[in-house]
Amino acid sequence: MSHQKLAPYNFFKGHPSTDLLPMREILHASQCVIRSFTKTMAHYDGRENTHPMNYGPDLGNLEVRSLVAQWNDRLFKAKAPTDPNCINLTNGASFGLANAILQCTYPFNDITKRIFVISPTYFLVNSCFIDNGYSGKLKAIPEFDNGEIDIDSLVTELEQIEKVTPSKPITAEDIPKTQQPGKPMKKIYNYVLYVVPTFSNPKGGSLSLETKLRLINIARKFNMLIICDDVYELLDFKAGTDGFEYHKRMVYLDRETLPEGEIYGNVISNATFSKIVGPGLRVGWQETATPHLALALASGGAVLSGGTPSHLNTVIVGELLRNGEIDNIVSNFVHVYRERASALKRAVLRYLPRGTKISPVDGGYFSWVTLPPEYDNLKIAQECAKRGVILATGDNFEVSGDSLEWGKHGVRLSVSYMSSQDIDEGINIWGDVCKEVGRA
């Protein structure tokens, strides 16, 4: 049986290199958890905190949720302590996104009318929406080079749709196909906005505080749910510098400005430990402005049947939070990725054609590089692949059914997977190909 050799310079892969994965810390945390529940089960009450090898509570163990809340509040300097009941544990951001769509939207009867997706977008996100019945209902909202988005086009789209099909209060009779009799009424939104607000995938941009507040106000006006993939926000390369503060989380802004009488809010922070510990753990969390929306997310049939996903692993991650190792793990990722990002910027400026643009690489996994318009981006990428350099061209990051032609010139580059030396060598080859293939 033959095995295909992996390309030595793969800029497409968006996951950590295996040498960075904190195996020693995971082993130690796992041993602590296992020793604890083999000797005593006194701290597992069978209700809010269940045994790690048993079914988990729907929201997840309260102890772990409390640790997550306290950790976030410390890092993001929350104005008030977060109620742990605003947190729903998941098995990663991908599951969290799919579950949010399933529990908070309805694709029939013109109830949830449109899914707005910031473009270019995460290349696998389209399937999460289409699987839930939203084929043909996805609309691209462009991200600008400065990291901001085209809010005016979003508002125009919303106003035009409302003129044709005005929204009305949603009742159980409106959603008969997904509202189980006897269960609490679902919270269904008329619109969804999917966004990576900090260090976006693929462009690497971050929304300003003003933009975040404006989006929340728009969401309240149009009954829109904002799903924030908050997966890169702690990978901030400025961490540790004087006066440093993390970008303000949209879910905190939603909570701090919640209108009187509103019990759900309009923002879900869809977060994961995949980028800051290891994706194989399959542990994430969702945070909402109020416990009502978190409980709604945890009330799907699969969770009610099987309990919180990845229950044992959530407790292991909880141990990393409890013993403080999580901060060291994140710090190491930031240190290495910062060095790789610097190597990437130097290589782009050194090897690629004059006039090439590179987005700021201030955190996260990705940078967005734009070749001058006279270069045939796709042809160059095809030739690079023959030489072992895999480039993630912009056509991979379109919103399904609403292309903005990102593939003509844009390329996403990952700093998470390759060493600084490999990044330099790969971009050097890319530059040589640009010279050989020439202009379109």
Side-chain angles (χ1 to χ4, degrees):
M1 180 179 179
S2 63
H3 296 275
Q4 185 178 4
K5 187 178 180 180
L6 295 176
Y9 307 106
N10 194 323
F11 288 96
F12 207 135
K13 285 187 178 293
H15 57 69
S17 49
T18 53
D19 60 302
L20 296 180
L21 297 175
M23 300 304 295
R24 178 185 62 80
E25 293 85 349
I26 294 296
L27 176 61
H28 180 255
S30 301
Q31 290 173 332
C32 289
V33 169
I34 291 170
R35 287 171 183 154
S36 172
F37 67 64
T38 54
K39 292 180 179 179
T40 176
M41 293 187 291
H43 60 298
Y44 300 123
D45 59 19
R47 296 183 304 277
E48 292 184 326
N49 293 293
T50 64
H51 192 282
M53 288 294 286
N54 214 326
Y55 293 106
D58 296 341
L59 287 165
N61 268 5
L62 177 60
E63 179 183 16
V64 178
R65 290 185 283 120
S66 298
L67 288 166
V68 171
Q70 294 162 14
W71 184 56
N72 282 327
D73 287 350
R74 171 172 61 84
L75 294 178
F76 293 99
K77 299 181 179 179
K79 291 185 177 180
T82 296
D83 183 347
N85 288 322
C86 291
I87 291 176
N88 170 49
L89 300 182
T90 70
N91 61 349
S94 297
F95 170 87
L97 173 60
N99 186 58
I101 302 164
L102 192 63
Q103 303 308 321
C104 297
T105 73
Y106 190 74
F108 312 105
N109 301 352
D110 275 330
I111 301 299
T112 303
K113 306 168 190 178
R114 193 78 79 247
I115 308 290
F116 296 101
V117 182
I118 305 306
S119 179
T121 191
Y122 167 47
F123 75 105
L124 293 175
V125 78
N126 291 292
S127 294
C128 293
F129 296 114
I130 293 172
D131 286 349
N132 280 279
Y134 290 103
S135 178
K137 292 188 175 182
L138 306 184
K139 178 63 181 176
I141 302 298
E143 177 181 336
F144 300 133
D145 289 342
N146 64 359
E148 298 293 347
I149 63 174
D150 191 351
I151 298 183
D152 291 338
S153 71
L154 171 64
V155 173
T156 297
E157 287 284 338
L158 287 165
E159 290 175 343
Q160 289 176 346
I161 297 169
E162 285 297 306
K163 285 180 181 179
V164 178
T165 56
S167 299
K168 60 183 180 62
I170 301 168
T171 67
E173 288 71 29
D174 295 317
I175 54 173
K177 295 181 180 180
T178 63
Q179 179 62 44
Q180 180 182 340
K183 279 182 64 174
M185 176 63 185
K186 284 188 171 187
K187 171 57 179 175
I188 302 295
Y189 295 84
N190 293 116
Y191 303 94
V192 172
L193 173 66
Y194 170 78
V195 61
V196 185
T198 304
F199 309 130
S200 68
N201 178 5
K203 267 198 164 184
S206 298
L207 300 181
S208 66
L209 178 62
E210 179 184 4
T211 295
K212 292 175 181 178
L213 288 169
R214 187 179 174 192
L215 285 173
I216 290 171
N217 287 330
I218 292 168
R220 289 170 180 165
K221 179 179 179 180
F222 290 96
N223 188 32
M224 182 170 70
L225 175 64
I226 302 175
I227 302 178
C228 298
D229 255 2
D230 288 333
V231 299
Y232 304 108
E233 54 188 356
L234 292 179
L235 300 176
D236 193 317
F237 301 158
K238 296 178 182 177
T241 59
D242 291 339
F244 169 77
E245 290 188 8
Y246 287 106
H247 290 259
K248 186 75 172 182
R249 307 177 77 221
M250 287 187 72
V251 70
Y252 284 5
L253 295 171
D254 192 26
R255 183 181 300 143
E256 291 165 7
T257 61
L258 203 66
E260 185 176 355
E262 171 58 44
I263 64 171
Y264 288 100
N266 293 81
V267 175
I268 294 174
S269 174
N270 188 43
T272 183
F273 289 98
S274 293
K275 305 296 188 293
I276 52 178
V277 179
L281 282 169
R282 305 315 308 144
V283 175
W285 76 97
Q286 294 172 315
E287 185 171 344
T288 58
T290 75
H292 288 83
L293 186 52
L295 184 60
L297 293 169
S299 296
V303 176
L304 293 180
S305 173
T308 189
S310 299
H311 181 47
L312 170 60
N313 285 358
T314 67
V315 179
I316 292 172
V317 171
E319 177 63 20
L320 294 175
L321 292 164
R322 190 194 63 77
N323 65 25
E325 282 289 352
I326 187 74
D327 291 328
N328 297 327
I329 293 170
V330 174
S331 178
N332 184 58
F333 278 120
V334 169
H335 173 73
V336 173
Y337 293 160
R338 183 193 296 123
E339 290 185 345
R340 293 178 182 178
S342 295
L344 184 147
K345 286 186 283 188
R346 289 195 301 269
V348 166
L349 293 174
R350 181 178 180 182
Y351 301 124
L352 295 188
R354 184 182 299 274
T356 297
K357 297 179 181 179
I358 181 171
S359 67
V361 195
D362 297 327
Y365 272 18
F366 305 112
S367 174
W368 185 261
V369 171
T370 306
L371 291 179
E374 60 269 23
Y375 285 84
D376 189 331
N377 192 44
L378 297 178
K379 184 178 180 181
I380 289 170
Q382 291 173 355
E383 182 60 33
C384 281
K386 297 175 184 178
R387 307 187 191 188
V389 177
I390 305 301
L391 300 175
T393 51
D395 52 304
N396 291 282
F397 307 101
E398 299 284 4
V399 174
S400 181
D402 195 12
S403 172
L404 298 182
E405 299 186 334
W406 294 109
K408 286 186 175 181
H409 310 291
V411 176
R412 187 192 78 173
L413 300 180
S414 171
V415 301
S416 68
Y417 183 64
M418 293 191 297
S419 68
S420 295
Q421 179 177 338
D422 286 345
I423 288 171
D424 183 85
E425 291 174 1
I427 295 177
N428 190 3
I429 295 171
W430 183 12
D432 288 342
V433 172
C434 288
K435 295 175 185 176
E436 295 172 18
V437 172
R439 296 169 177 166

